[in-house]
Amino acid sequence: MRVLLIGSDSSLGLALADHLKRWGRHELESVSSSVSRWKSERHAKKVVRRARADIVVDVRLQGAIDSGELINELDVERSHWLAKACQRSDASYFLVSSARVFAGDAERGYREQDPPDNPETVGRLLAAAETRASETCERHVVLRLGPVFSAAGVNVLSHMLEQLIAGGTLSLDNQLRGCPVESLDAARVVAGMLDQLGAGAESWGIYHYCSTDTTNCYEFAEALLASASQFSRFSPDAVQLQLLGGPGRALNRSLQCNRIRSTFAIKQVSWRSFVADTVRQYFYQRQQQQASKEASG
């Protein structure tokens, strides 16, 4: 199957491209997030047509949100353009979304049939992109993920580690709970779905995936700190984690993942099992970058 990956320079995009190339089950063409900032529908249509893709995997919005970037109406419109281009060319559209479509008021994990209810701008824009994908392209998949972390790219892990290394105070909320996903695990999930869709599975619609362990930002940072303290370049004595409490309501954006398990036989795994290797890889890459700068300087 020919796969066109949009947003290949995001944390998930990098992991997914590496996974697909390593296994070689699909032909892959990639477009970075910066290149995909099209100003007109004609540009998006041309990219899809030239790729002759069987399926377009769009990770732009998820990558932007998890890296802390703001998304806008034009980003949503680009999803609409891609969905229309897929429908016209008899291709499938795979939109990777986020648990942030939900407000977090539910005491249980959110199900696929629960209506998106996040009143914040990011939630409304994500919900709009999902709606346009489902209404425009008959063969569509919307995959909502928990926050994606990785050793590569800009994401919650790299953001926290940069602040921890700098020795500053990291103030973190303990009232918003969710289930983060390591990029390699997310790539495994997307690739597994692509394998079955490429084999003829007509399993279109909305799916959820997140890790098995619910946590909050404070607990997640503590796990990173425990792994990062093993590296000589990092001084844990210089770091302070400041717990944020207060009278605010507790929020929960965990997801129920029964449908993806029953349809694609994809099981959840714990985010904690990835932390040590991901942190180690982050420091290795950081060391390599520093060595490269010193050599060129």
Side-chain angles (χ1 to χ4, degrees), residues 57-76:
V57 180
D58 185 2
V59 303
R60 295 172 306 110
L61 298 180
Q62 176 277 323
I65 289 169
D66 282 353
S67 67
E69 295 181 27
L70 297 177
I71 61 173
N72 54 47
E73 293 287 352
L74 184 54
D75 292 312
V76 174

Side-chain angles (χ1 to χ4, degrees), residues 118-136:
N118 187 352
E120 298 175 352
T121 299
V122 63
R124 290 188 290 103
L125 291 175
L126 276 173
E130 292 182 3
T131 298
R132 292 186 184 184
S134 60
E135 292 180 349
T136 304

Side-chain angles (χ1 to χ4, degrees), residues 11-294:
S11 296
L12 173 54
L14 292 167
L16 180 57
D18 181 68
H19 185 101
L20 295 178
K21 290 175 182 176
R22 182 170 65 252
W23 289 100
R25 297 192 183 106
H26 307 282
E27 297 179 61
L28 177 65
E29 184 166 336
S30 300
V31 175
S32 68
S33 298
S34 58
V35 172
S36 64
R37 294 192 178 102
W38 306 295
K39 299 300 183 183
S40 71
E41 181 178 350
R42 178 174 59 86
H43 295 134
K45 180 180 178 181
K46 184 183 296 185
V47 168
V48 174
R49 186 176 67 249
R50 286 181 175 176
R52 295 180 290 110
D54 297 304
I55 189 166
V56 174
V57 180
D58 185 2
V59 303
R60 295 172 306 110
L61 298 180
Q62 176 277 323
I65 289 169
D66 282 353
S67 67
E69 295 181 27
L70 297 177
I71 61 173
N72 54 47
E73 293 287 352
L74 184 54
D75 292 312
V76 174
E77 192 62 26
R78 289 171 182 137
S79 295
H80 191 202
W81 294 342
L82 288 170
K84 285 201 288 185
C86 288
Q87 180 68 15
R88 289 168 180 161
S89 60
D90 198 30
S92 307
Y93 183 49
F94 193 129
L95 175 66
V96 181
S97 186
S98 166
R100 291 186 65 178
V101 297
F102 298 116
D105 296 322
E107 295 182 1
R108 56 166 174 78
Y110 283 93
R111 297 172 297 207
E112 288 84 355
Q113 60 266 36
D114 290 327
D117 60 352
N118 187 352
E120 298 175 352
T121 299
V122 63
R124 290 188 290 103
L125 291 175
L126 276 173
E130 292 182 3
T131 298
R132 292 186 184 184
S134 60
E135 292 180 349
T136 304
C137 185
E138 182 179 356
R139 296 190 304 177
H140 68 274
V141 170
V142 174
L143 175 63
R144 295 170 181 152
L145 296 174
V148 175
F149 67 95
S150 174
V154 181
N155 54 82
V156 63
L157 180 141
S158 62
H159 177 69
M160 286 184 176
L161 285 181
E162 286 173 6
Q163 293 189 62
L164 292 175
I165 292 168
T169 300
L170 198 57
S171 299
L172 298 167
D173 195 354
N174 67 323
Q175 294 182 311
L176 174 59
R177 301 190 68 80
C179 303
V181 183
E182 211 280 336
S183 62
L184 298 177
D185 188 32
R188 170 189 70 90
V189 171
V190 174
M193 296 175 74
L194 290 176
D195 288 345
Q196 295 182 55
L197 293 172
E202 295 286 330
S203 304
W204 314 113
I206 298 175
Y207 295 89
H208 287 174
Y209 182 80
C210 64
S211 65
T212 54
D213 302 340
T214 304
T215 188
N216 57 47
C217 291
Y218 185 82
E219 293 172 351
F220 183 74
E222 282 191 317
L224 297 188
L225 178 57
S227 293
S229 63
Q230 303 175 45
F231 298 90
S232 59
R233 290 180 178 270
F234 178 71
S235 175
D237 296 333
V239 174
Q240 296 180 13
L241 297 179
Q242 188 175 71
L243 186 66
L244 293 180
R249 60 196 175 100
L251 301 177
N252 169 41
R253 289 201 181 109
S254 60
L255 303 171
Q256 291 190 23
C257 305
N258 297 331
R259 190 183 183 207
I260 199 170
R261 182 173 61 248
S262 62
T263 305
F264 292 98
I266 291 175
K267 296 182 179 180
Q268 296 169 268
V269 297
S270 170
W271 62 267
R272 296 181 185 276
S273 62
F274 290 94
V275 168
D277 286 342
T278 305
V279 170
R280 184 183 301 109
Q281 183 64 21
Y282 171 86
F283 277 96
Y284 173 77
Q285 292 178 357
R286 190 169 185 270
Q287 185 180 33
Q288 293 296 105
Q289 291 170 358
Q290 290 176 340
S292 178
K293 288 181 180 179
E294 292 174 1

